[in-house]
Amino acid sequence: MNRRSVLVSITLVLATPIAAVRAQGTTEDRAAIRHVIGEYRTAVDRIDMAAMRAIHSPDALIVDAGVVSLDRDAFLKALQIDLGGGSRGFTFTAMEIVDIRFTGPTSAVALVNWDASTPRTSVIRGIWLVVLGKHKADWLIDAWHSTSRK
């Protein structure tokens, strides 16, 4: 899924009636999306770059704490620099999937609340908007934006 498809997916979520969107998506698709989000949490907690690579599409568009990565490799490079520069010890303490909305049979958007801690801070609270696409048989992260929440 390319960047244009990601933007179209987000637009469709905003333009499609909620009841119609929620009616789409199979139980298996929802379970697969929940699994990908769980894998992300595990990969971050373990600083597992191979696992991060496996769950993001090659052209994934990432906005994390104001830093924009235009593809998976740029994101992984920025993450490695960040982890080497003081983010070690970042651990998710909670992650709750608030909603999953399908924009079509091969695209979905998930809204996720998360809490984390680091050795230098008590609790950081955030919200994560994740765009996922079905690539052949696998759901992958095509884009996401994470920001703080109150």
PDB file of all heavy atoms in Angstrom, residues 18-36:
ATOM      1  N   ILE A  18     -20.212   5.553  10.370  1.00  0.00           N
ATOM      2  CA  ILE A  18     -19.632   4.625  11.342  1.00  0.00           C
ATOM      3  C   ILE A  18     -20.279   3.248  11.265  1.00  0.00           C
ATOM      4  O   ILE A  18     -19.592   2.233  11.266  1.00  0.00           O
ATOM      5  CB  ILE A  18     -19.747   5.207  12.768  1.00  0.00           C
ATOM      6  CG1 ILE A  18     -18.838   6.422  12.877  1.00  0.00           C
ATOM      7  CG2 ILE A  18     -19.383   4.171  13.814  1.00  0.00           C
ATOM      8  CD1 ILE A  18     -19.007   7.208  14.146  1.00  0.00           C
ATOM      9  N   ALA A  19     -21.569   3.156  11.183  1.00  0.00           N
ATOM     10  CA  ALA A  19     -22.245   1.850  11.150  1.00  0.00           C
ATOM     11  C   ALA A  19     -21.796   1.026   9.955  1.00  0.00           C
ATOM     12  O   ALA A  19     -21.580  -0.184  10.067  1.00  0.00           O
ATOM     13  CB  ALA A  19     -23.750   2.039  11.119  1.00  0.00           C
ATOM     14  N   ALA A  20     -21.629   1.653   8.810  1.00  0.00           N
ATOM     15  CA  ALA A  20     -21.201   0.922   7.613  1.00  0.00           C
ATOM     16  C   ALA A  20     -19.769   0.436   7.752  1.00  0.00           C
ATOM     17  O   ALA A  20     -19.443  -0.675   7.361  1.00  0.00           O
ATOM     18  CB  ALA A  20     -21.344   1.804   6.382  1.00  0.00           C
ATOM     19  N   VAL A  21     -18.896   1.264   8.321  1.00  0.00           N
ATOM     20  CA  VAL A  21     -17.498   0.881   8.483  1.00  0.00           C
ATOM     21  C   VAL A  21     -17.371  -0.274   9.463  1.00  0.00           C
ATOM     22  O   VAL A  21     -16.671  -1.238   9.212  1.00  0.00           O
ATOM     23  CB  VAL A  21     -16.656   2.085   8.960  1.00  0.00           C
ATOM     24  CG1 VAL A  21     -15.253   1.651   9.311  1.00  0.00           C
ATOM     25  CG2 VAL A  21     -16.633   3.152   7.886  1.00  0.00           C
ATOM     26  N   ARG A  22     -18.050  -0.196  10.577  1.00  0.00           N
ATOM     27  CA  ARG A  22     -17.929  -1.236  11.585  1.00  0.00           C
ATOM     28  C   ARG A  22     -18.506  -2.569  11.115  1.00  0.00           C
ATOM     29  O   ARG A  22     -18.172  -3.600  11.645  1.00  0.00           O
ATOM     30  CB  ARG A  22     -18.614  -0.788  12.878  1.00  0.00           C
ATOM     31  CG  ARG A  22     -17.810   0.277  13.568  1.00  0.00           C
ATOM     32  CD  ARG A  22     -18.355   0.571  14.936  1.00  0.00           C
ATOM     33  NE  ARG A  22     -17.525   1.583  15.560  1.00  0.00           N
ATOM     34  CZ  ARG A  22     -17.944   2.390  16.505  1.00  0.00           C
ATOM     35  NH1 ARG A  22     -19.155   2.310  16.950  1.00  0.00           N
ATOM     36  NH2 ARG A  22     -17.132   3.262  17.030  1.00  0.00           N
ATOM     37  N   ALA A  23     -19.371  -2.542  10.127  1.00  0.00           N
ATOM     38  CA  ALA A  23     -19.961  -3.778   9.625  1.00  0.00           C
ATOM     39  C   ALA A  23     -18.966  -4.576   8.796  1.00  0.00           C
ATOM     40  O   ALA A  23     -19.158  -5.755   8.581  1.00  0.00           O
ATOM     41  CB  ALA A  23     -21.203  -3.460   8.789  1.00  0.00           C
ATOM     42  N   GLN A  24     -17.892  -3.940   8.317  1.00  0.00           N
ATOM     43  CA  GLN A  24     -16.910  -4.625   7.497  1.00  0.00           C
ATOM     44  C   GLN A  24     -15.840  -5.268   8.364  1.00  0.00           C
ATOM     45  O   GLN A  24     -15.665  -4.927   9.511  1.00  0.00           O
ATOM     46  CB  GLN A  24     -16.257  -3.630   6.536  1.00  0.00           C
ATOM     47  CG  GLN A  24     -17.229  -3.015   5.567  1.00  0.00           C
ATOM     48  CD  GLN A  24     -16.553  -1.960   4.704  1.00  0.00           C
ATOM     49  OE1 GLN A  24     -15.352  -1.799   4.729  1.00  0.00           O
ATOM     50  NE2 GLN A  24     -17.354  -1.250   3.941  1.00  0.00           N
ATOM     51  N   GLY A  25     -15.103  -6.184   7.763  1.00  0.00           N
ATOM     52  CA  GLY A  25     -13.993  -6.819   8.471  1.00  0.00           C
ATOM     53  C   GLY A  25     -14.429  -8.103   9.132  1.00  0.00           C
ATOM     54  O   GLY A  25     -15.431  -8.144   9.830  1.00  0.00           O
ATOM     55  N   THR A  26     -13.667  -9.141   8.901  1.00  0.00           N
ATOM     56  CA  THR A  26     -13.986 -10.444   9.478  1.00  0.00           C
ATOM     57  C   THR A  26     -13.417 -10.568  10.879  1.00  0.00           C
ATOM     58  O   THR A  26     -12.541  -9.795  11.284  1.00  0.00           O
ATOM     59  CB  THR A  26     -13.413 -11.573   8.604  1.00  0.00           C
ATOM     60  OG1 THR A  26     -11.973 -11.502   8.671  1.00  0.00           O
ATOM     61  CG2 THR A  26     -13.884 -11.475   7.162  1.00  0.00           C
ATOM     62  N   THR A  27     -13.890 -11.550  11.586  1.00  0.00           N
ATOM     63  CA  THR A  27     -13.353 -11.849  12.915  1.00  0.00           C
ATOM     64  C   THR A  27     -11.866 -12.165  12.813  1.00  0.00           C
ATOM     65  O   THR A  27     -11.068 -11.735  13.651  1.00  0.00           O
ATOM     66  CB  THR A  27     -14.114 -13.040  13.536  1.00  0.00           C
ATOM     67  OG1 THR A  27     -15.500 -12.700  13.603  1.00  0.00           O
ATOM     68  CG2 THR A  27     -13.598 -13.379  14.913  1.00  0.00           C
ATOM     69  N   GLU A  28     -11.491 -12.896  11.766  1.00  0.00           N
ATOM     70  CA  GLU A  28     -10.078 -13.242  11.558  1.00  0.00           C
ATOM     71  C   GLU A  28      -9.235 -11.994  11.291  1.00  0.00           C
ATOM     72  O   GLU A  28      -8.108 -11.882  11.787  1.00  0.00           O
ATOM     73  CB  GLU A  28      -9.927 -14.232  10.398  1.00  0.00           C
ATOM     74  CG  GLU A  28     -10.516 -15.597  10.670  1.00  0.00           C
ATOM     75  CD  GLU A  28     -12.043 -15.669  10.454  1.00  0.00           C
ATOM     76  OE1 GLU A  28     -12.634 -14.720   9.872  1.00  0.00           O
ATOM     77  OE2 GLU A  28     -12.642 -16.659  10.890  1.00  0.00           O
ATOM     78  N   ASP A  29      -9.778 -11.053  10.509  1.00  0.00           N
ATOM     79  CA  ASP A  29      -9.049  -9.815  10.243  1.00  0.00           C
ATOM     80  C   ASP A  29      -8.851  -9.016  11.523  1.00  0.00           C
ATOM     81  O   ASP A  29      -7.759  -8.495  11.786  1.00  0.00           O
ATOM     82  CB  ASP A  29      -9.779  -8.962   9.203  1.00  0.00           C
ATOM     83  CG  ASP A  29      -9.679  -9.525   7.792  1.00  0.00           C
ATOM     84  OD1 ASP A  29      -8.701 -10.252   7.503  1.00  0.00           O
ATOM     85  OD2 ASP A  29     -10.577  -9.238   6.988  1.00  0.00           O
ATOM     86  N   ARG A  30      -9.891  -8.903  12.322  1.00  0.00           N
ATOM     87  CA  ARG A  30      -9.775  -8.169  13.595  1.00  0.00           C
ATOM     88  C   ARG A  30      -8.734  -8.815  14.502  1.00  0.00           C
ATOM     89  O   ARG A  30      -7.925  -8.126  15.123  1.00  0.00           O
ATOM     90  CB  ARG A  30     -11.122  -8.093  14.293  1.00  0.00           C
ATOM     91  CG  ARG A  30     -12.086  -7.140  13.624  1.00  0.00           C
ATOM     92  CD  ARG A  30     -13.428  -7.074  14.372  1.00  0.00           C
ATOM     93  NE  ARG A  30     -14.325  -6.218  13.648  1.00  0.00           N
ATOM     94  CZ  ARG A  30     -14.294  -4.879  13.683  1.00  0.00           C
ATOM     95  NH1 ARG A  30     -13.422  -4.260  14.446  1.00  0.00           N
ATOM     96  NH2 ARG A  30     -15.145  -4.167  12.970  1.00  0.00           N
ATOM     97  N   ALA A  31      -8.753 -10.140  14.562  1.00  0.00           N
ATOM     98  CA  ALA A  31      -7.778 -10.859  15.394  1.00  0.00           C
ATOM     99  C   ALA A  31      -6.358 -10.631  14.873  1.00  0.00           C
ATOM    100  O   ALA A  31      -5.421 -10.434  15.663  1.00  0.00           O
ATOM    101  CB  ALA A  31      -8.105 -12.347  15.419  1.00  0.00           C
ATOM    102  N   ALA A  32      -6.190 -10.628  13.552  1.00  0.00           N
ATOM    103  CA  ALA A  32      -4.867 -10.408  12.964  1.00  0.00           C
ATOM    104  C   ALA A  32      -4.362  -8.999  13.264  1.00  0.00           C
ATOM    105  O   ALA A  32      -3.174  -8.802  13.566  1.00  0.00           O
ATOM    106  CB  ALA A  32      -4.917 -10.657  11.456  1.00  0.00           C
ATOM    107  N   ILE A  33      -5.251  -8.014  13.196  1.00  0.00           N
ATOM    108  CA  ILE A  33      -4.872  -6.632  13.507  1.00  0.00           C
ATOM    109  C   ILE A  33      -4.493  -6.509  14.978  1.00  0.00           C
ATOM    110  O   ILE A  33      -3.476  -5.887  15.322  1.00  0.00           O
ATOM    111  CB  ILE A  33      -6.010  -5.667  13.116  1.00  0.00           C
ATOM    112  CG1 ILE A  33      -6.081  -5.581  11.581  1.00  0.00           C
ATOM    113  CG2 ILE A  33      -5.824  -4.287  13.753  1.00  0.00           C
ATOM    114  CD1 ILE A  33      -7.317  -4.893  11.057  1.00  0.00           C
ATOM    115  N   ARG A  34      -5.268  -7.116  15.850  1.00  0.00           N
ATOM    116  CA  ARG A  34      -4.929  -7.106  17.283  1.00  0.00           C
ATOM    117  C   ARG A  34      -3.556  -7.758  17.514  1.00  0.00           C
ATOM    118  O   ARG A  34      -2.759  -7.293  18.332  1.00  0.00           O
ATOM    119  CB  ARG A  34      -6.007  -7.804  18.093  1.00  0.00           C
ATOM    120  CG  ARG A  34      -7.289  -6.997  18.171  1.00  0.00           C
ATOM    121  CD  ARG A  34      -8.364  -7.707  19.010  1.00  0.00           C
ATOM    122  NE  ARG A  34      -9.568  -6.929  19.014  1.00  0.00           N
ATOM    123  CZ  ARG A  34      -9.782  -5.837  19.759  1.00  0.00           C
ATOM    124  NH1 ARG A  34      -8.841  -5.410  20.569  1.00  0.00           N
ATOM    125  NH2 ARG A  34     -10.918  -5.170  19.685  1.00  0.00           N
ATOM    126  N   HIS A  35      -3.285  -8.815  16.763  1.00  0.00           N
ATOM    127  CA  HIS A  35      -2.000  -9.513  16.884  1.00  0.00           C
ATOM    128  C   HIS A  35      -0.847  -8.592  16.453  1.00  0.00           C
ATOM    129  O   HIS A  35       0.191  -8.534  17.129  1.00  0.00           O
ATOM    130  CB  HIS A  35      -2.021 -10.794  16.044  1.00  0.00           C
ATOM    131  CG  HIS A  35      -0.730 -11.537  16.082  1.00  0.00           C
ATOM    132  ND1 HIS A  35      -0.327 -12.285  17.172  1.00  0.00           N
ATOM    133  CD2 HIS A  35       0.270 -11.622  15.170  1.00  0.00           C
ATOM    134  CE1 HIS A  35       0.858 -12.798  16.930  1.00  0.00           C
ATOM    135  NE2 HIS A  35       1.247 -12.415  15.717  1.00  0.00           N
ATOM    136  N   VAL A  36      -1.007  -7.883  15.339  1.00  0.00           N
ATOM    137  CA  VAL A  36       0.044  -6.973  14.855  1.00  0.00           C
ATOM    138  C   VAL A  36       0.322  -5.894  15.903  1.00  0.00           C
ATOM    139  O   VAL A  36       1.484  -5.585  16.193  1.00  0.00           O
ATOM    140  CB  VAL A  36      -0.344  -6.339  13.501  1.00  0.00           C
ATOM    141  CG1 VAL A  36       0.597  -5.192  13.132  1.00  0.00           C
ATOM    142  CG2 VAL A  36      -0.354  -7.386  12.402  1.00  0.00           C
TER     143      VAL A  36
END
